[in-house]
Amino acid sequence: ILPREDEKYVIETTLGTGYTFGNGLSANLEWTHLGGGLSGSEWANFTDAVSANSPPTSTASAQRLAELRAMANHSELRRDYLFLRLFQERFAGTKLQSQLVVLHGLEDGSGSAALRLEYPFTPETSAWLYLNRRYGGSKDEFIQRTERGTVSLGLVHRF
């Protein structure tokens, strides 16, 4: 429970469970409620403000749009989310480590899905691939964020 500026209290809670299967697959599932998140009508006001300032027609509307886009990039804007994480240390009997993470907004059905694969060549050196994609409708929370998807490659050497 967190105090708000207007001295009312907001309830934030997370309930979850985890389980590791016999084959080494770990699964975590969580539900999070953020009482300070935007309600349906507040979200509609937010998306209406984005639409009213897109494309910007003045310096003021460009500044307002930038502020709204910055707000949209916060990790959680709405009230209820499901989080799923699946992790496999040795995928299909190989040394490949795999992880799937999904953050799903319950109000509008939008979300983000990410896959990370890492292959250790030696104890000190590994390569990884990271793919992330947001999904949902044009006015949904995760689609309002600046980036829609990410592809990253990496090589790590520990000294």
Side-chain angles (χ1 to χ4, degrees):
I1 298 179
L2 303 173
R4 293 184 86 176
E5 291 178 13
D6 59 3
E7 298 301 320
K8 292 181 182 177
Y9 285 86
V10 175
I11 295 175
E12 295 189 359
T13 186
T14 298
L15 300 173
T17 187
Y19 186 77
T20 301
F21 296 90
N23 65 358
L25 175 67
S26 295
N28 301 90
L29 181 64
E30 298 175 355
W31 165 75
T32 297
H33 174 77
L34 304 170
L38 299 178
S39 68
S41 61
E42 291 168 330
W43 182 253
N45 290 339
F46 174 83
T47 58
D48 288 347
V50 169
S51 296
N53 290 287
S54 299
T57 56
S58 67
T59 303
S61 67
Q63 183 177 3
R64 181 67 179 138
L65 184 60
E67 291 168 357
L68 292 167
R69 291 288 182 206
M71 184 179 161
N73 284 319
H74 289 156
S75 58
E76 296 97 10
L77 292 171
R78 302 296 297 276
R79 293 191 177 175
D80 291 293
Y81 297 90
L82 280 181
F83 171 81
L84 171 67
R85 177 182 180 263
L86 301 173
F87 177 77
Q88 182 76 47
E89 180 83 32
R90 297 183 61 82
F91 185 72
T94 69
K95 294 193 295 182
L96 182 68
Q97 296 176 357
S98 61
Q99 176 175 260
L100 174 68
V101 175
V102 177
L103 179 60
H104 183 78
L106 293 176
E107 282 94 359
D108 62 15
S110 70
S112 175
L115 176 66
R116 186 175 195 279
L117 303 171
E118 183 169 353
Y119 188 85
F121 296 107
T122 68
E124 298 84 21
T125 306
S126 62
W128 53 264
L129 168 68
Y130 176 81
L131 307 166
N132 179 293
R133 182 74 177 147
R134 300 183 192 286
Y135 59 88
S138 64
K139 289 198 168 194
D140 292 343
E141 175 186 353
F142 283 84
I143 297 301
Q144 290 292 320
R145 296 168 189 251
T146 305
E147 65 182 42
R148 300 276 169 91
T150 305
V151 176
S152 303
L153 297 169
L155 181 63
V156 177
H157 184 76
R158 296 163 192 87
F159 296 97

